[in-house]
């Protein structure tokens, strides 16, 4: 399997190779369409000047040879040919000395030969450096009443001067340094990704404390930061899961043991009618407690998984709340709790059964943890943008350091709240409210009661 490091290096080298190829093709296109003709014309002008000098030279053969040798030392390869085909080279000789038919017209028709423009080398632009007599320019001239042809091209050895070699090494150095830089950068880039991979493997082993130690300000740094947050959240979820299992096991075990214990007493002992009734009543209470816990767990699981089949309809919230108060009237009278309410006629689109669960849980808690002879105030109001429900009691209240935890599952504030109940009620209430795109806030002070404020936002309703 190819690593990301190797892939990065290979991709970089491929991009570099493709860039060089495309640059070569583009350069060749510019050379063929524009530069090649200009070079040919420039060399024709030089050849014509040399030929003109020869035509105006009235001296011996040794003189014009000296002149041509001096021209060759300036960086040109020269070939002089007469009408009989006899020729002579000045400067570096050509590797290929065959003249094409077109070049012969320099002598026969006195035409200029544009060999550099028409020469087609194997590698396009590189053909410019081909040391071939065909790759020259030719001009006619007359000397001592005899026609000659002068063929010329720049000397390749002199073209590559010291400055050209400096530039060549400069580009080679750039290429080498670039490749080394890419390799180093790739290693620097892959290192934190390797750490993230290792951390992911540790998470699969349920090790949520693997240190990342990645401090960067780029996208990888953001990824590492997000990964660390995910790591903490997974650790929190794992602890919550274990705590959830522990609480569920405990809450199931307690009533089951009571049911089992009192059932055995009923079977093995001679009991009076009063004891028999008491034990049966305890078994009935514990079985109801177990049934209520099961129902709440099923509801909570359905809400978590989004599998609860919500049945949305128009609900009169004021009538629902009044009906909930009526159902708990006997408990209110038993503790002599006074209920006062101010309920505006409000219609809300929601799931009636889930909404009833909210009022039932809040009113049950308000009664359960209220003082004897206390009071409960319920208000319902609305604006064009929201619906607000407030349930306030004068009960035992909740301390400031625990108020933020009352919506956690199985959380029960103190021993007074652990005698009965499951610790799931407010968690279910919060999820139902959020499912209806609402929000719940709690305010409380120990010994002075608790107030719950529910807000449903109309514009966010489904």
């Amino acid at each position: 399997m190819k690593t990301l490091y190797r892939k990065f290096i290979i991709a970089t080298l491929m991009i570099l190779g493709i860039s060089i190829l495309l640059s070569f093709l583009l350069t060749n296109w510019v050379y063929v369409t524009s530069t090649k003709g200009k070079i040919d014309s420039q060399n024709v002008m030089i050849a014509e000047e040399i030929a003109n000098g020869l035509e105006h030279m009235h001296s011996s053969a040794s003189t014009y040879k000296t002149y041509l040798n001096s021209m060759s030392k300036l960086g040109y390869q020269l070939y002089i040919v007469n009408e009989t085909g006899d020729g002579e080279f000045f400067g570096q000789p050509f590797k290929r000395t065959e003249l094409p038919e077109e070049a012969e017209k320099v002598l026969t028709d006195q035409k200029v030969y544009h060999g550099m423009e028409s020469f087609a080398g194997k590698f396009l632009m590189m053909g410019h450096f081909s040391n071939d007599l065909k790759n020259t320019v030719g001009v006619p001239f007359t000397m001592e009443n005899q026609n000659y042809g002068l063929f010329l091209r720049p000397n390749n050895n002199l073209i590559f001067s010291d400055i050209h070699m400096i530039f060549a090494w400069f580009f080679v150095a750039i290429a080498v340094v670039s490749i080394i830089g890419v390799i180093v950068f790739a290693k620097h880039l892959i290192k934190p990704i390797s750490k993230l991979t290792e951390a992911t493997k540790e998470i699969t082993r349920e090790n949520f404390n693997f240190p990342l130690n990645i401090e960067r300000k780029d996208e990888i740094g953001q990824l590492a930061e997000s990964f660390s947050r995910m790591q903490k959240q997974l650790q929190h979820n794992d602890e919550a899961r274990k705590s959830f299992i522990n609480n569920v096991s405990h809450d199931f075990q307690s009533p089951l043991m009571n049911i089992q214990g009192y059932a055995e007493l009923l079977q093995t002992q001679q009991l009076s009618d009063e004891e028999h009734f008491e034990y049966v009543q305890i078994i009935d209470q514990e079985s109801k407690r177990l049934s209520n816990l099961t129902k709440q767990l099923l509801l909570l699981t359905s809400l978590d998984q989004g599998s609860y089949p919500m049945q949305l309809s128009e609900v009169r919230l004021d009538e629902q709340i009044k009906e909930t108060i009526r159902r708990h009237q006997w408990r209110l009278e038993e503790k002599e709790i006074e209920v006062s309410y101010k309920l505006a006629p409000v219609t809300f689109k929601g799931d009636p059964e889930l909404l009833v669960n909210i009022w039932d849980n809040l009113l049950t808690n308000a009664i359960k943890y209220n003082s004897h002879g206390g009071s409960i105030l319920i208000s319902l109001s609305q604006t064009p943008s929201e619906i607000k429900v407030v349930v306030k009691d004068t009960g035992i209240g909740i301390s400031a350091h625990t108020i933020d935890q009352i919506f956690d599952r199985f959380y029960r504030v103190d021993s007074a709240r652990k005698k009965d109940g499951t610790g799931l009620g407010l968690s279910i209430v919060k999820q139902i409210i959020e499912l209806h795109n609402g929000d719940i806030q709690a305010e409380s002070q120990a010994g002075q009661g608790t107030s719950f404020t529910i807000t449903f936002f109309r514009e966010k309703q489904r």
Side-chain angles (χ1 to χ4, degrees), residues 228-294:
S228 296
R229 287 199 298 268
M230 181 193 72
Q231 204 174 26
K232 291 177 183 177
Q233 185 61 46
L234 287 173
Q235 184 177 12
H236 173 75
N237 292 347
D238 184 63
E239 291 171 357
R241 176 179 62 83
K242 291 175 180 176
S243 175
F244 181 84
I245 293 171
N246 182 61
N247 287 324
V248 168
S249 300
H250 177 269
D251 278 38
F252 268 95
Q253 187 69 16
S254 180
L256 284 173
M257 288 183 67
N258 286 337
I259 290 171
Q260 183 181 1
Y262 283 103
E264 287 177 356
L265 288 174
L266 288 172
Q267 289 177 343
T268 59
Q269 294 187 14
Q270 295 293 328
L271 304 172
S272 64
D273 290 343
E274 184 178 344
E275 289 175 326
H276 186 275
F277 177 77
E278 181 184 352
Y279 293 170
V280 170
Q281 193 174 31
I282 291 172
I283 291 173
D284 180 61
Q285 288 174 351
E286 293 298 298
S287 63
K288 287 178 179 177
R289 178 183 166 191
L290 196 60
S291 175
N292 183 46
L293 176 61
T294 304

Side-chain angles (χ1 to χ4, degrees), residues 381-387 456-461:
S381 60
Q382 66 175 333
T383 66
S385 60
E386 63 183 31
I387 297 169
F456 295 112
F457 303 99
R458 288 187 183 277
E459 65 272 16
K460 293 185 179 180
Q461 271 189 257

Side-chain angles (χ1 to χ4, degrees), residues 31 39 116 124-130 135 153 156 159:
Y31 171 75
I39 293 173
M116 297 184 76
L124 298 177
M125 185 180 68
M126 302 308 294
H128 172 76
F129 305 102
S130 178
N135 188 24
R153 65 162 284 101
N156 289 336
I159 288 175

